[in-house]
Amino acid sequence: MSTSLPSLSRRHWLTSAGTALAGLAVAGRFLNEEMRAQALTPERLAAVTPGKVRLSLNENPFGPSPAALEAMQRHLAAGKSCRYPYLETGELVELIARKEGVSPEHIVLGVGSGEILETVALHFGLAKGEVLYATPGYLQLPRAMEAVGGRAVGVPVTPAGEHDLEAMAAQVSPATSIVYLANPHNPTGTTVDAAALRSFIREVSPKAFVFVDEAYLDIADNYNSRTVVGLVNADRPLLVARTFSKIYGLAGLRIGYGVTSPRFAAVLRNYAIGSLAGPATVAAIASLKDDGFVARTRDKIVAERQKLLDLLRELGRAYAEPQTNFVFFNAGRPHAEVFRRMQAEGVTVARAFPPLTDWVRITIGLPEENEKARAALRKVLTTA
Ligand SMILES: Cc1ncc(COP(=O)(O)O)c(C=O)c1O
């Protein structure tokens, strides 16, 4: 038996090397500084280091509704994992549509709301479109657009860490195909004024598609007065994305959805690569039926968040006003130093968010995790 490597013909080698180099050139050309910070760097991999308190990914460790866990167990025990879950996904779409006050054709399900972000990016990016987004920001959609040949243009957040709606509206040009806003914003955790956002959507949507990402909105005060889902209709180029990953505590099951016009929902379904797993689907159904779960979870997160804000105030550290399960604060020293020293204390905080390199984002964990994080922060922020 030969142990030598299979020999590649010169032509084959040149072709594969050429493809790899072209790939690198594409990556190099499209990744801006902020996007590079989110690539799989050692720091980003450390975000999932085992054995550390993981306060880097905005998960909700209070976990799902007990009804969701039970629904999954029942689904599996009934031997349903050999069946495609079309009945279940149909029921979920009906439930979501009722909750959001639209008909089911307006709903498009995703393997996490990330899939909605990616499929929208494919649609506009493949047409060489341009996205406006707030920077620093959540990059899944802008990055995916650039990866397939589109352009991403960042508009800086205000000093309070909020979307600068005026600047964003002023930046809309005939080249703009889509405007992406996360409300609440990530990494700052701030919300925009609900009335201002509604008039922004009315003003901008005749010129460009508007994508409002409400991944964290159920954690904000007065969810009902803040969601813009009521502006979705058959004609407006608008999509509102929601997820079961955050307040519903189901990040590992990958389930989210978009609410948009029936026409655009049909377009997006064509881009979808996967479809929902049965256990994820029944867990989402049970979560939506568990009245009171969202409010109970919000209370736990807000109470824990308050303890962190009290500490930051005591230490004289500025922070963006959070409406989320994470807090973005000015550490008064480089992120890299805080990250490294917090790691040494057993706590992982989020990656850096350039250009705000003295700021740090930390997720609200379980009470005992937060206690450890507060003790570590006190040490790191008060000693050299
Ligand atoms: C603003 C925002 N949108 C969307 C997502 C995607 O979440 P998922 O794909 O788990 O629904 C995240 C995840 O952290 C996020 O922060």
Side-chain angles (χ1 to χ4, degrees):
M1 193 177 84
S2 162
T3 53
S4 64
L5 290 171
S7 64
L8 290 175
S9 74
R10 186 178 143 77
R11 205 176 108 240
H12 185 155
W13 188 88
L14 285 176
T15 314
S16 353
T19 311
L21 287 176
L24 281 179
V26 166
R29 179 149 52 95
F30 289 123
L31 292 184
N32 66 26
E33 184 200 4
E34 197 186 354
M35 292 182 187
R36 267 195 299 274
Q38 215 194 20
L40 273 186
T41 58
E43 186 188 74
R44 187 149 161 75
L45 285 173
V48 289
T49 309
K52 301 266 190 266
V53 172
R54 178 159 120 183
L55 303 181
S56 50
L57 296 176
N58 298 341
E59 296 152 330
N60 166 16
F62 291 106
S65 155
L69 295 175
E70 201 188 312
M72 281 190 280
Q73 277 158 2
R74 255 187 285 120
H75 181 85
L76 293 172
K80 292 192 178 166
S81 53
C82 61
R83 305 284 177 196
Y84 290 111
Y86 298 138
L87 284 175
E88 290 84 352
T89 44
E91 184 186 348
L92 178 60
V93 166
E94 290 279 344
L95 256 185
I96 291 172
R98 219 173 306 141
K99 169 175 183 268
E100 304 294 6
V102 293
S103 60
E105 307 81 65
H106 288 269
I107 306 299
V108 52
L109 294 177
V111 181
S113 63
E115 191 187 24
I116 307 293
L117 291 157
E118 302 265 348
T119 50
V120 170
L122 278 180
H123 178 74
F124 290 104
L126 288 172
K128 308 267 181 270
E130 178 180 294
V131 59
L132 286 188
Y133 69 102
T135 178
Y138 187 68
L139 298 178
Q140 191 163 5
L141 187 154
R143 200 182 43 206
M145 270 194 67
E146 293 214 324
V148 295
R151 252 169 61 81
V153 177
V155 179
V157 295
T158 67
E162 294 176 8
H163 280 89
D164 191 337
L165 291 182
E166 248 175 63
M168 290 183 93
Q171 187 93 17
V172 174
S173 76
T176 312
S177 36
I178 170 166
V179 180
Y180 168 71
L181 300 101
N183 187 44
H185 191 47
N186 181 5
T188 60
T190 57
T191 40
V192 279
D193 176 74
L197 180 56
R198 289 200 177 95
S199 46
F200 176 89
I201 292 169
R202 287 198 183 93
E203 180 193 337
V204 168
S205 62
K207 303 177 210 159
F209 192 93
V210 180
F211 187 124
V212 182
D213 181 342
E214 295 188 348
Y216 300 96
L217 196 64
D218 336 56
I219 302 169
D221 307 329
N222 306 321
Y223 161 80
N224 284 330
S225 70
R226 290 177 193 269
T227 176
V228 292
V229 84
L231 291 184
V232 171
N233 62 37
D235 302 316
R236 185 173 274 135
L238 169 68
L239 182 144
V240 179
R242 315 291 315 280
T243 182
F244 286 88
S245 296
K246 305 300 176 181
I247 206 155
Y248 290 103
L250 294 171
L253 293 184
R254 314 305 303 123
I255 179 157
Y257 61 93
V259 189
T260 187
S261 68
R263 200 152 25 104
F264 193 62
V267 169
L268 287 187
R269 286 188 202 105
N270 288 330
Y271 286 104
I273 293 163
S275 58
L276 298 189
T281 309
V282 297
I285 292 170
S287 301
L288 289 178
K289 289 181 175 170
D290 184 350
D291 292 334
F293 170 77
V294 166
R296 282 196 301 279
T297 306
R298 184 192 299 120
D299 288 350
K300 288 185 225 168
I301 292 170
V302 170
E304 285 299 306
R305 188 178 70 198
Q306 190 55 47
K307 295 183 206 164
L308 176 61
L309 298 183
D310 290 346
L311 173 71
L312 292 172
R313 220 170 289 142
E314 182 198 323
L315 300 180
R317 304 306 339 156
Y319 55 82
E321 208 47 61
Q323 288 286 339
T324 42
N325 62 335
F326 57 88
V327 173
F328 193 55
F329 66 93
N330 185 336
R333 54 188 79 210
H335 172 276
E337 177 194 329
V338 179
F339 185 90
R340 178 179 47 77
R341 292 185 60 199
M342 289 295 283
Q343 281 285 90
E345 298 293 324
V347 178
T348 304
V349 297
R351 67 166 177 100
F353 289 93
L356 303 182
T357 47
D358 279 1
W359 289 68
V360 174
R361 192 192 74 193
I362 183 165
T363 304
I364 305 303
L366 293 170
E368 58 275 22
E369 295 174 327
N370 300 328
E371 201 176 324
K372 184 168 176 177
R374 287 195 303 275
L377 272 180
R378 182 183 287 283
K379 188 165 160 191
V380 169
L381 297 181
T382 57
T383 58

